[in-house]
Amino acid sequence: MKKTNKNNKSRLKKIGKGKFSLLLLILHTTLSFCGQNNYATKSDIEALKKELKSDIENTKNKIIEAEKDIEELKKEIKADIEKMIKGTVYIFSSVEIYDTKWADSFRGGIGSGVIYKGYIITNRHVSDPYSIIENTTGFYSCPLTKCQDRSGEINWLKLLKNCYLDEYCYKPRVVFRSCVYMLYLYYFAGRLDPSDIGTYPCRVFWEKIVQDYVSNRNTNCINDFFWKNEEFEDMFCYKIYSSYLPEVKAKIKAYTYDGNELDVINSKFPSCRDMDLARLEVNKDISQFNLSNADKYDIGDNVFAVGQPLGLGWTVSSGVVSAKRKIRDFYKIYLIYLPPIYYEIFEPTCDYNIIQTDTQINPGNSGGGLFDTEGKLIGINTFRLSGSEGIGFAIDFSEALSNLF
């Protein structure tokens, strides 16, 4: 009997691991046992068949219920993604450098934002006109070997860093840098006819430069502007010419997924200048699209990013939380192979939490949300390491809560 049962089991193993193989094994072994020993009656066998049939039906019902649960889960995921998309806005910034009646509006930027408590949360570099100008022409721009003041004693980049942290210095400085850049690009690179100088937004600034150039005044500044590349101007030159700078006018607009156009009427930024966050107030009620935030997340959690990469509206990408970091620790690692002066200059003035993710973060994703699988915000997508694949960073959303509200 034992040998027979062993053979039966061996034959059944060859059938494979089907859904009802265990039930078949029980049935086959029982019938074999009963047939050989004549202990079971016909009625016993019929009762066993009914019991097995009932078990099979119960198993089928459980499978049907599981399939229904899967369909419900799919619907929930679809609803969460739809909520993420509807709570994400497309941001377009148009910045004019305005001088009398002439204006240059080619400076602009695209980005993303998320709707939270009736506001739009995004990056500063997406929504601040001076940050947009800075991104198009550069701010920390002079080579390290030339970054000194006229006495040769003060490092020029340190002066720029101090200016960067002072709004009253930073804003005109960015415009000054932009005008010098355009002057070099259009005039001295042969892209601008001198007779057209009055039709450009920096014309007053340019006219002053040209007058000094012709009369040979402020020779050192002229040489700095034109012969040491457009990348170097010192504080001495800046003080002379900053009063001739044009003003800046900006239009920051946002667009919801359903096509609503929103005008930004007020902006709030963190007190820490290095924290790339912004809260935008708009001219319409958008609270129906409010998103919620998650209380916690862990390394390895699945996440989604929603944004406008390269202008491709409301694109969803997925990945995982790769690491949790502090921004200062990140810079120490990132700048480790450069001279110590770089960390001294570029070290953030405040420390805050960032999320590393392998989710695709491209230009246009900036300001968009990083979400968990329930559609809740965990971060604001901010930057990626250029030349890398799958190394993107978002500012922890808790930083937005504590610095913008």
Side-chain angles (χ1 to χ4, degrees), residues 112-113 120-132 134-135 164 170 268-280 327 331 348-354 365-368 379-384 393-397 399-400 403-404:
S112 309
I120 295 173
I121 310 301
T122 185
N123 288 138
R124 181 169 188 154
H125 76 261
V126 168
S127 55
D128 174 28
Y130 293 93
S131 296
I132 293 169
E134 177 189 341
N135 288 337
Y164 176 76
Y170 168 74
K268 180 178 180 179
F269 306 111
S271 57
C272 173
R273 182 65 179 78
D274 292 311
M275 188 178 291
D276 194 358
L277 289 173
R279 188 189 78 182
L280 310 180
I327 190 66
Y331 271 100
T349 54
C350 60
D351 205 9
Y352 53 90
N353 296 312
I354 58 174
N365 276 113
S366 294
I380 298 297
N381 299 318
T382 303
F383 68 97
R384 66 167 184 172
F393 295 89
I395 299 176
D396 191 306
F397 195 74
E399 303 291 356
N403 288 276
L404 297 175

Side-chain angles (χ1 to χ4, degrees), residues 153-268:
E153 295 177 353
I154 302 176
N155 186 280
W156 175 241
L157 281 178
K158 290 182 180 179
L159 291 175
L160 282 180
K161 178 70 172 181
N162 292 334
C163 182
Y164 176 76
L165 298 174
D166 182 349
E167 292 288 332
Y168 294 100
C169 179
Y170 168 74
K171 291 181 178 180
R173 175 71 196 174
V174 167
V175 181
F176 176 81
R177 177 71 184 84
S178 178
C179 285
V180 171
Y181 176 80
M182 286 193 293
L183 180 60
Y184 175 85
L185 184 66
Y186 292 130
Y187 188 66
F188 286 89
R191 301 186 187 184
L192 173 67
D193 189 314
S195 64
D196 291 336
I197 197 169
T199 64
Y200 283 80
C202 292
R203 70 183 186 87
V204 174
F205 175 81
W206 290 6
E207 286 170 352
K208 179 62 177 172
I209 296 285
V210 171
Q211 288 172 6
D212 286 353
Y213 181 72
V214 172
S215 62
N216 205 31
R217 286 182 297 175
N218 299 324
T219 305
N220 287 329
C221 286
I222 302 301
N223 288 335
D224 287 343
F225 291 156
F226 305 140
W227 311 124
K228 291 185 179 178
N229 299 320
E230 77 279 16
E231 296 181 348
F232 179 67
E233 321 90 38
D234 65 20
M235 199 64 76
F236 174 74
C237 303
Y238 164 64
K239 289 179 179 178
I240 291 177
Y241 292 106
S242 61
S243 60
Y244 300 97
L245 295 175
E247 63 178 311
V248 172
K249 295 183 178 181
K251 293 179 181 178
I252 313 296
K253 290 185 176 292
Y255 300 88
T256 60
Y257 182 67
D258 59 3
N260 262 322
E261 181 179 287
L262 310 170
D263 293 324
V264 175
I265 57 178
N266 195 19
S267 302
K268 180 178 180 179

Side-chain angles (χ1 to χ4, degrees), residues 375-393:
K376 294 183 178 181
L377 283 162
I378 66 169
I380 298 297
N381 299 318
T382 303
F383 68 97
R384 66 167 184 172
L385 294 187
S386 59
S388 69
E389 290 290 336
I391 306 180
F393 295 89

Side-chain angles (χ1 to χ4, degrees), residues 137-153:
T137 54
F139 187 77
Y140 298 114
S141 54
C142 65
L144 195 61
T145 55
K146 297 179 180 178
C147 290
Q148 295 178 333
D149 69 353
R150 293 198 173 278
S151 67
E153 295 177 353

Side-chain angles (χ1 to χ4, degrees), residues 261-364:
E261 181 179 287
L262 310 170
D263 293 324
V264 175
I265 57 178
N266 195 19
S267 302
K268 180 178 180 179
F269 306 111
S271 57
C272 173
R273 182 65 179 78
D274 292 311
M275 188 178 291
D276 194 358
L277 289 173
R279 188 189 78 182
L280 310 180
E281 182 182 352
V282 294
N283 63 332
K284 295 179 182 178
D285 181 14
I286 52 175
S287 56
Q288 70 268 30
F289 302 120
N290 278 342
L291 294 164
S292 58
N293 60 291
D295 294 328
K296 63 178 182 177
Y297 58 88
D298 295 306
I299 296 171
D301 285 355
N302 292 317
V303 290
F304 296 98
V306 182
Q308 333 294 329
L310 302 178
L312 300 173
W314 292 275
T315 297
V316 180
S317 56
S318 63
V320 298
V321 173
S322 304
K324 298 179 180 181
R325 301 191 185 278
K326 291 283 190 179
I327 190 66
R328 283 179 175 165
D329 292 338
F330 163 76
Y331 271 100
K332 286 178 182 177
I333 297 170
Y334 186 54
L335 301 174
I336 193 170
Y337 296 109
L338 296 176
I341 184 65
Y342 277 88
Y343 181 73
E344 183 180 346
I345 293 163
F346 292 106
E347 178 191 11
T349 54
C350 60
D351 205 9
Y352 53 90
N353 296 312
I354 58 174
I355 305 168
Q356 182 180 329
T357 177
D358 65 349
T359 309
Q360 289 296 318
I361 306 294
N362 292 295

